[in-house]
Amino acid sequence: MEGAPFKRNWSYLPELVLHWISEKVKSIADFIRYRTVCSAWRSASIPMPRHLPPQLPWLMIGHKLNADQDDDGKRLFYDLWKDKMHMLDLPEIVDKGCSGTHRGWILFVAREGREVFLLNPLTRARIPLPPFTFPVRHLGEEWHAPLHHTPHRFSPHLHFRGIKMIFSSDLTNPDCLITVFLHGQVFCYRVGDLCWTMVKNPLKNDVADATFYNRKFYLLYHEGSEEDIVIIDSDNPNEKIPSKFGFKLGNIRYLLEGQSGVYLVAVKYLMEEGLEDKYELYQFQEQSLKLKHITDTSNTTIFNTNNFRFLAICSNDWDCLGGGSMYIVMLIPVYEGNDVVGHRYSIWSKKLEDGELEQRRDLDEAPLQLIGPDETVMWFQPSLV
């Protein structure tokens, strides 16, 4: 009919155009929505895109409002980039404890460590891992050598909270090494192995923290007023490179793997000076076995998860981030009169230089937590790979 409005059918766009549009999408949430428009749009995009940049973290919030509530498998994820809360239904994690995250994957552990698996909550891909209660191999031993029992006795899955986890590459790589730091011990695993492999502690002191970078394990030790880092090559574990710094960097020190190397975060308590905590960043120089103090942190934003497990983001890639700061999560009490009726999650940023706090966002969409701090709250960097 003459004069009738023209209606464009977007599903009939050329496939080349649709593919070009999909590669312009940078947000993982937008990419998922793009693939749900219609079958033509879905077929023009790939399910595991490589063009998406590293995403701003999402904050995963636990399920329980009170001790009597059953776990329904639903989890809330706060999307920092979109400033939006997502609800994901994940029935496979009912009654499982969230223990750690890395590269879009979350580590879940059942009670007593008898079931362990990785889950990508966006793709629902799942990778089973050996239970932590199984005997382990020692790094460098022959595969026919007898297995060893770990010295730990695990009970509730509370003991598995705050596990540090690092992948050597994407899990699509069959040679990917999954490394976890648990109860002062370092364990690694390749998909298909029968059990975990334990990295034997080369020193008498307990390992304070550990990480993995460029096929090497980095073990951090505190000995009095000194710091030690021992490097162990995963391909040649008998070769151990110790480095001793001879000075104390702060009250608490933790290792952080970055795109260009291994970093150390030092926390200095300055309350006696009337100031907030101070955070300093150092980069480990493998050639000279020294630490280089990073004085300019304007391009660095750190996300602090449970038990000081850190995630670093390049601030220049994101307009919404302020550099030289650390994002933390606080649980703020909610009052009715003089009575505390629950707690509300709130995101704050803390300046690395002087510890100055600034409130970023109250998560009013999340229900009040009635049982105090929930240990499963942690930052999660979404990925479809």
Side-chain angles (χ1 to χ4, degrees), residues 94-112:
V94 169
D95 292 330
K96 308 294 191 303
C98 173
S99 299
T101 69
H102 190 70
R103 291 190 185 176
W105 294 81
I106 303 178
L107 180 69
F108 288 97
V109 182
R111 285 190 172 275
E112 300 182 359

Side-chain angles (χ1 to χ4, degrees), residues 311-339:
L311 169 67
I313 296 290
C314 180
S315 303
N316 287 351
D317 295 338
W318 310 97
D319 295 335
C320 60
L321 290 182
S325 60
M326 174 182 294
Y327 277 66
I328 61 176
V329 182
M330 294 185 179
L331 208 53
I332 309 298
V334 178
Y335 291 89
E336 284 188 1
N338 295 324
D339 299 326

Side-chain angles (χ1 to χ4, degrees), residues 88-253:
L88 300 183
D89 189 6
L90 306 170
E92 55 267 78
I93 68 171
V94 169
D95 292 330
K96 308 294 191 303
C98 173
S99 299
T101 69
H102 190 70
R103 291 190 185 176
W105 294 81
I106 303 178
L107 180 69
F108 288 97
V109 182
R111 285 190 172 275
E112 300 182 359
R114 298 182 184 278
E115 182 185 4
V116 184
F117 61 91
L118 294 171
L119 179 74
N120 186 320
L122 299 183
T123 66
R124 304 290 290 277
R126 172 175 168 156
I127 298 176
L129 302 176
F132 289 122
T133 52
F134 277 16
V136 300
R137 298 187 186 279
H138 286 170
L139 185 67
E141 288 184 339
E142 298 292 338
W143 282 105
H144 55 74
L147 300 181
H148 306 269
H149 288 279
T150 59
H152 308 294
R153 295 291 179 266
F154 303 121
S155 47
H157 62 237
L158 178 64
H159 291 180
F160 299 98
R161 302 290 177 89
I163 294 176
K164 187 173 186 178
M165 180 171 64
I166 308 103
F167 302 160
S168 63
S169 61
D170 289 338
L171 287 176
T172 53
N173 183 349
D175 197 40
C176 175
L177 194 68
I178 301 169
T179 301
V180 299
F181 179 59
L182 167 65
H183 295 322
Q185 294 284 352
V186 180
F187 301 88
C188 59
Y189 172 81
R190 282 188 179 86
V191 175
D193 288 353
L194 298 178
C195 63
W196 289 94
T197 297
M198 187 171 73
V199 180
K200 294 179 65 176
N201 186 353
L203 302 182
K204 294 181 179 179
N205 296 350
D206 291 336
V207 180
D209 197 16
T211 191
F212 185 87
Y213 177 79
N214 196 22
R215 304 194 63 80
K216 295 182 177 66
F217 299 98
Y218 291 77
L219 280 56
L220 174 67
Y221 298 86
H222 306 326
E223 184 177 0
S225 61
E226 295 185 352
E227 311 286 343
D228 295 339
I229 291 181
V230 175
I231 306 172
I232 301 177
D233 193 325
S234 62
D235 298 319
N236 185 14
N238 293 322
E239 180 182 340
K240 302 176 178 64
I241 305 174
S243 58
K244 204 177 274 284
F245 303 114
F247 59 92
K248 190 173 183 179
L249 298 172
N251 301 86
I252 304 177
R253 287 79 69 199

